[in-house]
Amino acid sequence: MPDRKPLDEHAAASVRAYAADQRAKTDLLVSVLEDIAAHGYPAPETGVLWEDARDAHLERLAGEQPRVA
């Protein structure tokens, strides 16, 4: 296995923050899927139209600071 180049403190903290964010998103998805498995699909009347969800998400993104992936 080739040697690894260590990250500086800032880069390591950024990677950890990204990993925590992704873990939180995954945990949320898992909880939704477990709820569907246990209780079935929610009634369509209780949901949010995908267009509304998309528009709200795009508004949130527009308000965020730019960042590099």
Side-chain angles (χ1 to χ4, degrees), residues 7-66:
L7 299 175
D8 64 54
E9 279 185 43
H10 179 71
S14 294
V15 170
R16 287 186 191 100
Y18 179 76
D21 180 58
Q22 294 304 306
R23 184 173 289 120
K25 289 177 184 178
T26 302
D27 289 345
L28 177 61
L29 175 61
V30 168
S31 69
V32 169
L33 294 175
E34 287 174 342
D35 180 72
I36 291 171
H39 306 288
Y41 289 112
E45 306 81 43
T46 64
V48 176
L49 294 174
W50 75 268
E51 294 94 342
D52 294 340
R54 177 202 60 209
D55 293 346
H57 182 67
L58 290 174
E59 284 180 30
R60 280 192 303 274
L61 289 175
E64 289 183 4
Q65 292 290 330

